[in-house]
Amino acid sequence: MAKRHSEDVNFTEMRTILQKAQYSFLCGLGSLIRSLGFRRTYKMADGLAYLAWHILRSRRRNTINSITEHLKTDREEAQKLAYKSFQSTFRSFAEITLTQKFGRELEGTKLLIADPKLWKKFQECPRPIVASTGHYGSWELLACLLGQVYEAPRPRLVVVRKYPNPAVTAYISKQREAKGACMIGHRAVATAVIRALHKNGIVAFLVDHKTKDHEAYTLSFLGDMANVNMGPALLAVRAGALVWPIFLERLENERFMLHVQEPLDTKLLTGTTEEKIKKTTLFYTQAMEKQIRHNPEQWFWMHNRWNKNWK
């Protein structure tokens, strides 16, 4: 029921004929792209990445500068990583059309598990879970996968940012919810998230967004200071949840590797509530950094995470 409700809310926000036409167009275009399958969709995405690399000069320059500074690489290596990051990013965007083709049924063939014992522990966990992830690898497909880990009525929420255009929001929500997860907007979500966690649900957050000062701690991230959203940590501490870093890495030949890191049990933290929240925020920030260093070309370097004004 939650899935249907979420989609209905998005559709009723489309009040104009134009918006409804846009939604229909996106559904048709998405179906066409989905019919191409993974391989041809990736080729299309690579072509768009090539165009963006040559057209979006400031994005290209900032991406190269960001990699050079934060990974301490030389300029030539940074440029290679930056171009691969462009390709990965456009593949990630294209994967929103492929969610219906991806799920746990691929496990062992197309879906590989980096640590099977830890993945089993994750699947069998009876406690509330805050899953921390980021704009790394196949984050859209990961949202669908998390919707399949547990069965209803156990809540499975993914906190996302809504798009200004209701038609785009409706289409993307429909795709993300293809395998059971329910999307929820990132503003005013505290009550819904706490309710889900109190029912031992799983709530996933992207923790590598830019965040306003009053919503963040300023922490070290890839060797530089950045604002990190404290919201997921606050909600996890309030609910006594486990914070579980999880990422879906894209491999060759349309295969994927699921990385699950050791969790943080917020019930075992000591100190004041403020100290617990900060420790939790630092935990998922370091987990994000660890995954990026594992395979930096699959992170969204195009996003200026540190508010730099590169020339």
Side-chain angles (χ1 to χ4, degrees), residues 113-273:
I113 312 298
D115 189 333
K117 289 184 179 179
L118 198 54
W119 175 232
K120 183 178 180 181
K121 182 179 176 182
F122 180 92
Q123 293 173 290
E124 295 177 350
C125 180
R127 297 210 12 226
I129 293 174
V130 167
S132 68
T133 189
H135 295 88
Y136 174 93
S138 301
W139 69 78
E140 296 288 3
L141 299 182
L142 177 62
C144 281
L145 182 64
L146 292 177
Q148 295 180 280
V149 175
Y150 308 108
E151 295 182 357
R154 191 172 183 181
R156 294 145 293 160
L157 304 183
V158 179
V159 179
V160 298
R161 296 196 175 198
K162 288 188 175 182
Y163 295 85
N165 188 320
V168 175
T169 295
Y171 173 72
I172 291 178
S173 293
K174 174 185 176 183
Q175 295 304 113
R176 287 171 171 167
E177 295 178 342
K179 294 294 181 76
C182 180
M183 302 298 117
I184 182 169
H186 75 292
R187 294 298 180 190
V189 301
T191 300
V193 168
I194 288 295
R195 186 184 299 119
L197 293 175
H198 283 167
K199 294 179 180 179
N200 295 322
I202 176 172
V203 183
F205 290 87
L206 292 160
V207 298
D208 58 348
H209 277 298
K210 282 185 181 179
T211 310
K212 296 178 181 179
D213 290 347
H214 68 278
E215 299 174 332
Y217 289 116
T218 302
L219 302 173
S220 177
F221 180 61
L222 292 170
D224 203 351
M225 304 308 291
N227 279 3
V228 181
N229 187 2
M230 67 171 74
L234 185 153
L235 295 169
V237 169
R238 283 180 58 185
L242 291 168
V243 179
W244 222 310
I246 184 166
F247 306 91
L248 187 63
E249 180 181 1
R250 193 181 303 105
L251 305 178
E252 295 180 353
N253 300 320
E254 298 82 56
R255 296 181 304 146
F256 304 85
M257 179 69 75
L258 184 67
H259 294 269
V260 183
Q261 298 182 21
E262 288 286 350
L264 172 72
D265 189 343
T266 60
K267 281 189 173 183
L268 302 180
L269 294 175
T270 59
T272 64
T273 299

